[in-house]
Amino acid sequence: ATDQATNNGTNTDTIEMNTLIGLDVPASMSFGTINLDAVGPEQTYAITNNGNSGMDTNLKVDGAMVCDGQGSQNIPAGNSHYSGTSGFAWADGTALTTAFVEYELSLAPRTNDVAAAVQNIFFKLKLPVSGIRGSCTNTLTTIAIADTENGW
């Protein structure tokens, strides 16, 4: 800045922005109708990074998938497998557990209001050989955590 006496001055401010780790995930997934002892169709679970920091995630399910058919057994949590690769073989996926497991998304931070960083995780469900009837449900919990490995 210059005043009338032609004296000059400058000023520099440093602004610090707090880290925000936030995600958006689908409200539900549906595997549809699956035959006993068969693997259902792959489901896409899109995770969106709405924060200003790189992000990984922790995943877990509440327990077995609870089925409402009369006399039905429940589907073990480990029958749901996931992968970062579409078209994966069910046996090659990672089994869901009831304890949080970190999934390395390495999802870039959001840098504008137009396009958020999105990454898909793919899920497949295999039914047991027998004992399953009705509709089965479970809760998948997804928590955003800081990606500390990529220097975001």
Side-chain angles (χ1 to χ4, degrees):
T2 304
D3 62 17
Q4 289 180 332
T6 65
N7 295 323
N8 293 322
T10 60
N11 186 15
T12 302
D13 286 331
T14 300
I15 299 172
E16 182 177 330
M17 182 176 292
N18 290 332
T19 300
L20 172 65
I21 301 171
L23 61 80
D24 188 26
V25 296
S28 65
M29 277 191 292
S30 176
F31 290 98
T33 302
I34 304 172
N35 292 327
L36 292 173
D37 198 29
V39 176
E42 182 175 281
Q43 300 301 307
T44 302
Y45 189 73
I47 298 178
T48 303
N49 187 351
N50 288 326
N52 62 9
S53 175
M55 184 184 81
D56 289 328
T57 189
N58 282 343
L59 302 170
K60 79 172 188 107
V61 289
D62 286 349
M65 291 184 84
V66 177
C67 302
D68 64 6
Q70 185 175 355
S72 181
Q73 297 174 11
N74 295 326
I75 303 170
N79 282 37
S80 295
H81 287 198
Y82 63 94
S83 174
T85 304
S86 180
F88 74 102
W90 178 85
D92 294 337
T94 302
L96 282 171
T97 67
T98 57
F100 278 115
V101 175
E102 184 175 350
Y103 181 76
E104 290 288 334
L105 284 174
S106 299
L107 195 53
R110 186 168 192 151
T111 58
N112 61 54
D113 290 336
V114 179
V118 178
Q119 185 169 330
N120 295 325
I121 301 177
F122 303 95
F123 286 85
K124 290 187 177 181
L125 175 65
K126 182 176 182 180
L127 292 190
V129 175
S130 64
I132 304 300
R133 293 175 199 77
S135 294
C136 305
T137 59
N138 202 346
T139 300
L140 172 65
T141 302
T142 309
I143 296 177
I145 59 173
D147 180 350
T148 57
E149 297 178 10
N150 288 301
W152 304 109

